[in-house]
Amino acid sequence: MPQPTPPSVLRSPRLWIGTGLIAAVVSILFALLYVGGNVNPRGNLHDLPVAVVNGDTGAKVNGRQMNAGDQVVAGIEKAARGKDSIDWQVLTRAEADERLGQGKLYGALVIPKDFTATVTGLLAPPQPPAGAKAGAGAGAGAGQQAGAPQAGQLAPPTLTVLTNQAAGSIGSSMASQATQKAAHAASAQLGKELLQQAGGSKAQLPPAARLMLTDPVTVTVADGHPLGARSAMGLSAFYYALVLVVCGMLGANLVNSQVDSALGYLHADFGPFRQRMPLRHTNRVRTLAIGSVLMLGLSVLMGTLVEVATVGILDMDASHLGLLWLYSVATVFVVGVGGLALFAAFGTPGMLLATIVFIAAAVPSSGATVPVQALPGFFRTLAEFEPLRQITDGLRSILYFDAQAGAGLTRGWTAMAIALVAALLFGFAVTRFYDRRGLHRIPRPAEAAGAGAIPAPTETTEAAEAGAAGSEGEAEAGSEGEAGSESAGESEVAGDAAAPAKG
């Protein structure tokens, strides 16, 4: 008798509703996290650290000591009152260089030591060429002296803006714009004062000179902490960290599936072929321990290959290669163990949780593209403990800042140690709780019998089906048919009980 065709699984409302809800949560969560952290960096900017270095020694003007550098600093501080977008820090040049070299400053405005002298020199009367005093008989020699710099002429006043791409490209750009704006505002203010002084003097300046006094200061831009040409403009540390995090997640997923396949909990498909290992009843604690050991071995392999690919093949700028290798292996291992702990605690949803923790919430709060000071408050809080930011800071220290402990390396190692301990404690505590409650992934035969189920017989499902077929033949013989039918029913039940035990 033909069997009725089962209804299509696509007609199941549960399939559509469950899948749709998961897809909806993932899509809106990723959109809110990724775009929400980066959509308005200027509006969220608070306390971006920028230095002001006043090296001006001042000069005497009409018998009075004057320091134009102090006026520039006072003007910046006055303009910054009531605003918290930029954290202006007045430092010495040595202090500024040290903090730029540790990634603690995104830029600096440097006032040179001769700033006052060059500013006041703009009002000094021009010196006549030396050839004019020698008379017309000087000839060609007078022409050469007239074209040469004269003793009374000084270089134009200059302010230098230092950038720091090693601390972050966008943060360095924002600091550069703020310092250039402050420099041009200082130049305009000094120009007004110079024009007032020129108007009160007896000597009249030529129109060209008066035009130059309206904006007398030249603003130059220089790199405060130069990077190599193959450092992705200060983003190579972030991309390297992201690769390590993805490797750790993929490694945890691979380890989880391979361990389950080896223990017989899952089958492995290779194209049209399917392989299933004999079932080995293993408690959850031991399963997590096996996965963690396997993850350690994979971390050594993956961390090594990542460094070989980026430094050896792609020629990425890098130093301290031994430390970089150790940091890479540790990062992959810590992320992998964190993923395994989530898998062990939550099962299949653990993969989604790992993606949210290590990618969706980590990338926008890493401070690698948009600086932490330009993130919304929620993402600033995430940045304090999200792993990607700590990993990136450690890699910046290794790749850009000569592996200085204070440049983020200590923070990176500390964060990874805390994350590893927390992941292990969480994972083994949850799995031990499951084991003590008897919540095994597949019940053991003795536990199934104790629960009232029929224990699995030693014969296989095929043998049970053969017994069932034999009993059906006996049923045609008459009075012995009923006994044969009962035997067949028992065999079918035994076969059904054997199937899950075998799986």
Side-chain angles (χ1 to χ4, degrees), residues 2-308:
Q3 297 292 329
T5 303
S8 173
V9 70
L10 293 176
R11 296 181 180 180
S12 172
R14 182 178 180 181
L15 174 65
W16 286 97
I17 295 175
T19 307
L21 286 176
I22 295 175
V25 170
V26 170
S27 59
I28 194 171
L29 190 60
F30 268 74
L32 291 175
L33 290 174
Y34 265 73
V35 181
N38 305 299
V39 69
N40 187 19
R42 293 192 180 278
N44 296 314
L45 185 61
H46 297 284
D47 299 326
L48 188 74
V50 179
V52 179
V53 178
N54 184 14
D56 189 11
T57 57
K60 283 190 176 181
V61 180
N62 297 326
R64 182 172 60 90
Q65 184 70 21
M66 176 182 175
N67 193 306
D70 290 342
Q71 296 180 20
V72 173
V73 175
I76 292 175
E77 293 177 341
K78 180 179 179 181
R81 289 173 186 168
K83 302 176 183 178
D84 62 349
S85 58
I86 303 296
D87 178 20
W88 295 103
Q89 303 176 11
V90 181
L91 306 172
T92 65
R93 184 59 190 265
E95 292 172 338
D97 288 340
E98 180 182 1
R99 297 190 186 187
L100 286 169
Q102 293 180 339
K104 296 180 179 180
L105 290 175
Y106 286 93
L109 178 62
V110 179
I111 305 171
K113 63 180 182 179
D114 60 347
F115 186 67
T116 300
T118 55
V119 168
T120 57
L122 296 174
L123 294 177
Q127 298 294 326
K133 297 180 180 179
Q144 292 176 359
Q145 291 179 2
Q150 304 302 315
Q153 294 177 349
L154 296 175
T158 303
L159 294 175
T160 303
V161 172
L162 298 180
T163 61
N164 191 9
Q165 286 189 336
S169 298
I170 295 180
S172 177
S173 176
M174 299 173 77
S176 177
Q177 294 176 15
T179 49
Q180 290 186 56
K181 182 179 178 181
H184 286 297
S187 177
Q189 181 62 33
L190 288 173
K192 291 180 181 179
E193 296 178 2
L194 292 174
L195 287 173
Q196 291 176 358
Q197 295 179 22
S201 64
K202 296 180 180 180
Q204 295 295 324
L205 293 176
R210 295 183 65 88
L211 179 62
M212 187 182 68
L213 288 181
T214 59
D215 189 11
V217 179
T218 300
V219 180
T220 61
V221 180
D223 197 341
H225 186 75
L227 293 176
R230 305 187 67 84
S231 61
M233 299 178 66
L235 289 174
S236 58
F238 166 66
Y239 291 126
Y240 194 99
L242 188 59
V243 169
L244 295 179
V245 170
V246 172
C247 286
M249 288 184 55
L250 293 178
N253 194 18
L254 177 63
V255 167
N256 185 63
S257 61
Q258 291 298 311
V259 169
D260 282 353
S261 297
L263 295 177
Y265 291 122
L266 295 176
H267 57 261
D269 288 331
F270 302 95
F273 305 103
R274 172 169 293 186
Q275 181 185 27
R276 185 153 193 167
M277 303 299 292
L279 178 63
R280 302 180 184 179
H281 286 284
T282 307
N283 60 38
R284 293 175 182 267
V285 171
R286 181 175 176 82
T287 302
L288 179 57
I290 293 172
S292 300
V293 173
L294 183 58
M295 189 68 227
L296 178 60
L298 286 184
S299 301
V300 175
L301 175 64
M302 299 174 84
T304 302
L305 293 180
V306 167
E307 182 170 340
V308 169

